[in-house]
Amino acid sequence: MTPRPRPWHARAWASMALHTGVWLAVFAVLVLALARPWFALAAELALLLLVVLVNNVKVRSLREPFVFQDYEYFTDTLLHPRLYMPFFGWRNVAAATMGFTVAVVVGLWLESVPQNRWDWDGQFGALAVLAVLAGLLLVVGHRARLVVTFDPVRDVQELGLLASFWRYGWAEQIKPTLPSPFAGSGTEPPSRIAHADLPHLVAVQSESFFDPRSLFAGIRSDVLAQFDQLKQQAVAHGRLTVPAWGANTVRSEFAFLSGIDEDCLGVHRFNPYRKLAYSGVPTLASYLKQLGYRTICVHPYPASFYRRSQVYPLLGFDEFVDIRAFTQAQRAGPYIGDVAVAQKIADILKSATNPVFVYAITMENHGPLHLEAPINEEVAQFYTQKPPPGCDDLTIYLRHLRNADRMAAMLKDSLIASPRAASLCWYGDHVPIMDSAYKALGEPDGHTDFLMWRSAASSPTPPRHLNAHDLAATWLRHLGLMPAVPGQR
């Protein structure tokens, strides 16, 4: 397993109590269900093998171990296999399949069901003893309140995998203090703005968007020509620190909408849409709704993914436009293209009689990139010199990045054409997963890029660095829709 936990004898006694208690509890449940102790043992080992394999894949691709909050990804893999299975790899599929095959062989061929599985003096009595022992170990281990840092690498190394699962699961029951900039009377705008003077607002969380030209000098400088032009006219632009690498879009998404630093979220940082969002969180959308905006989310994927269809009304959105509003012809690769999303936003703006806030979450550049094949002509289109071997993923990424650049230009034109003043905030949620390209060219620093643009003329500004949770409030302050923070610009 990576990262490797400390040896059992070097861990806190409570972590070993939790580890053993979880192991025995799962074993007892499997014995109760299967009535074959050896089958239950083999099945539990196979399950643990699967978790460790998934963990190692996650560490390699996302720089983070498997945590308790990730268990939903097993069901998501069945519902959206293309998003997850290709990262798992055929070797891991073969290893997991072999493990479960061995478990089935042990259970069905080598072990018979006892004649009386409910005999108290026999197997059932031993099972009851194991269950009681498991419960006692879990109680004493839980009462020790092992400290967790919510740095999953550190916690797995210190506590071990199963004990960290237990602590993360229980920590999820606690709602932390949420210091959102969109909560309380302090967020009232500096002066009462007339409804007619409120600008249209468009925010785009562009899938896996970052400027890759720093990775390889041979990438053509005009690959982001429209984005570069927008930066020259932007009220602010620069690099963005995001709470995700390669995936976990909802972390950056929630940071932008809530304005809350992930350090304040505790265990909810791993997936704030699992429980935290249901408790009521002030957001950019709810704040703008109070000002008189109609708030709309556009996401060209099933609305049920990450429970957005349930969560977004709670976060202040009036309407959710999902994949049902698009057609197969609007795909660019396996997903709905960025150009189609830009056109959908343009249609919303054209029909709007009152100020609207449109938040778009794109999908086109979502991996796995290695499932697509580059075209020979694309080397000349995207590079001034041929990239080293292993950069096919980068070529595919540049193909879709070009469409993101077109989307930015289309949004600019739509906002300029609007009779109402308008503004655009654009940012990337995380860097893409391109393991082979990073091996050949070096890894990026994990920051993405952002800009804030408005239809009124602006003077060029130097680049700056922001955190994802500061982006939305900074945007509104530039537009005069939130009071300025003393000492900040």
Side-chain angles (χ1 to χ4, degrees):
M1 177 175 165
T2 305
R4 186 173 295 279
R6 297 174 64 183
W8 67 269
H9 54 80
R11 301 180 215 168
W13 67 266
S15 71
M16 290 311 304
L18 290 175
H19 178 97
T20 309
V22 169
W23 176 272
L24 290 178
V26 173
F27 179 69
V29 170
L30 289 174
V31 172
L32 187 63
L34 302 173
R36 294 175 169 94
W38 288 106
F39 189 9
L41 177 62
E44 185 166 9
L45 287 170
L47 286 171
L48 191 57
L49 169 65
L50 177 63
V51 172
V52 169
L53 290 173
V54 171
N55 170 84
N56 291 352
V57 169
K58 188 184 177 195
V59 169
R60 184 182 70 243
S61 298
L62 307 182
R63 297 180 164 187
E64 181 181 285
F66 192 82
V67 297
F68 174 82
Q69 284 67 29
D70 291 334
Y71 76 85
E72 287 185 343
Y73 288 142
F74 286 111
T75 55
D76 286 341
T77 298
L78 300 177
L79 297 174
H80 310 280
R82 195 186 189 282
L83 295 183
Y84 300 101
M85 282 301 295
F87 293 117
F88 193 51
W90 290 112
R91 287 185 180 180
N92 289 327
V93 170
T97 301
M98 183 174 297
F100 281 98
T101 300
V102 170
V104 171
V105 169
V106 169
L108 298 183
W109 291 354
L110 303 181
E111 186 179 16
S112 60
V113 179
Q115 292 182 351
N116 185 1
R117 62 186 296 181
W118 306 116
D119 179 8
W120 179 259
D121 294 328
Q123 179 171 292
F124 190 71
L127 181 62
V129 172
L130 281 181
V132 170
L133 178 59
L136 290 173
L137 288 170
L138 292 174
V139 168
V140 297
H142 181 70
R143 287 173 65 90
R145 300 292 182 184
L146 289 167
V147 175
V148 284
T149 64
F150 303 119
D151 173 350
V153 172
R154 180 177 175 182
D155 289 336
V156 165
Q157 289 175 330
E158 291 295 319
L159 306 182
L161 183 65
L162 299 185
S164 69
F165 281 178
W166 181 272
R167 290 293 292 121
Y168 277 34
W170 277 97
E172 200 174 51
Q173 311 307 313
I174 301 172
K175 180 186 175 181
T177 301
L178 301 174
S180 172
F182 304 112
S185 59
T187 60
E188 292 297 325
S191 61
R192 195 166 187 84
I193 302 174
H195 196 265
D197 295 332
L198 290 172
H200 286 321
L201 301 178
V202 175
V204 176
Q205 179 173 275
S206 184
E207 174 61 40
S208 300
F209 182 89
F210 85 118
D211 188 344
R213 290 173 292 190
S214 60
L215 284 181
F216 178 49
I219 297 176
R220 294 181 64 92
S221 60
D222 61 358
V223 72
L224 284 175
Q226 300 297 330
F227 189 78
D228 289 341
Q229 186 178 18
L230 277 172
K231 285 197 299 184
Q232 296 302 315
Q233 305 164 355
V235 297
H237 67 92
R239 302 284 281 161
L240 190 70
T241 297
V242 291
W245 170 285
N248 293 305
T249 294
V250 292
R251 300 182 189 177
S252 300
E253 189 176 313
F254 186 78
F256 175 78
L257 290 173
S258 70
I260 302 172
D261 187 345
E262 67 168 347
D263 290 339
C264 300
L265 299 179
V267 77
H268 300 282
R269 73 186 65 190
F270 299 110
N271 185 349
Y273 290 177
R274 267 178 49 80
K275 289 196 174 184
L276 185 63
Y278 291 89
S279 63
V281 180
T283 68
L284 170 65
S286 62
Y287 174 75
L288 293 175
K289 191 171 181 178
Q290 292 175 356
L291 295 186
Y293 280 86
R294 177 164 179 78
T295 55
I296 303 169
C297 177
V298 178
H299 180 46
Y301 206 64
S304 59
F305 191 49
Y306 277 120
R307 306 180 185 178
R308 286 189 178 99
S309 57
Q310 301 174 36
V311 168
Y312 266 54
L314 302 176
L315 299 184
F317 283 93
D318 296 310
E319 183 180 351
F320 196 127
V321 180
D322 72 346
I323 196 170
R324 293 170 295 180
F326 299 87
T327 66
Q328 291 289 328
Q330 293 176 299
R331 290 180 179 270
Y335 308 108
I336 299 298
D338 288 355
V339 170
V341 177
Q343 186 58 56
K344 180 64 64 177
I345 296 172
D347 294 342
I348 293 172
L349 294 173
K350 285 179 183 178
S351 62
T353 56
N354 292 313
V356 294
F357 165 55
V358 183
Y359 182 52
I361 309 162
T362 69
M363 277 295 295
E364 179 177 339
N365 224 338
H366 201 296
L369 296 169
H370 65 270
L371 294 187
E372 299 180 66
I375 303 170
N376 291 334
E377 294 78 14
E378 289 178 330
V379 173
Q381 291 176 18
F382 302 138
Y383 304 99
T384 57
Q385 63 186 70
K386 188 175 181 180
C391 289
D392 284 354
D393 287 2
L394 177 60
T395 303
I396 299 301
Y397 177 74
L398 294 175
R399 174 197 299 169
H400 296 301
L401 192 67
R402 176 182 56 186
N403 288 335
D405 196 50
R406 291 176 60 194
M407 178 183 180
M410 291 175 66
L411 291 177
K412 173 188 172 183
D413 293 342
S414 297
L415 294 172
I416 290 176
S418 170
R420 183 182 292 270
S423 181
L424 169 68
C425 181
W426 178 292
Y427 69 98
D429 54 351
H430 52 70
V431 298
I433 299 174
M434 299 189 294
D435 293 338
S436 58
Y438 295 153
K439 288 179 181 177
L441 303 172
E443 287 191 341
D445 57 15
H447 300 314
T448 63
D449 294 84
F450 80 91
L451 64 77
M452 305 171 197
W453 174 92
R454 62 186 177 192
S455 53
S458 301
S459 301
T461 58
R464 59 187 297 190
H465 199 112
L466 282 179
N467 292 308
H469 62 272
D470 292 325
L471 184 60
T474 304
W475 181 34
L476 294 193
R477 291 184 182 114
H478 275 296
L479 299 174
L481 298 178
M482 281 185 73
V485 176
Q488 291 187 7
R489 59 180 180 88

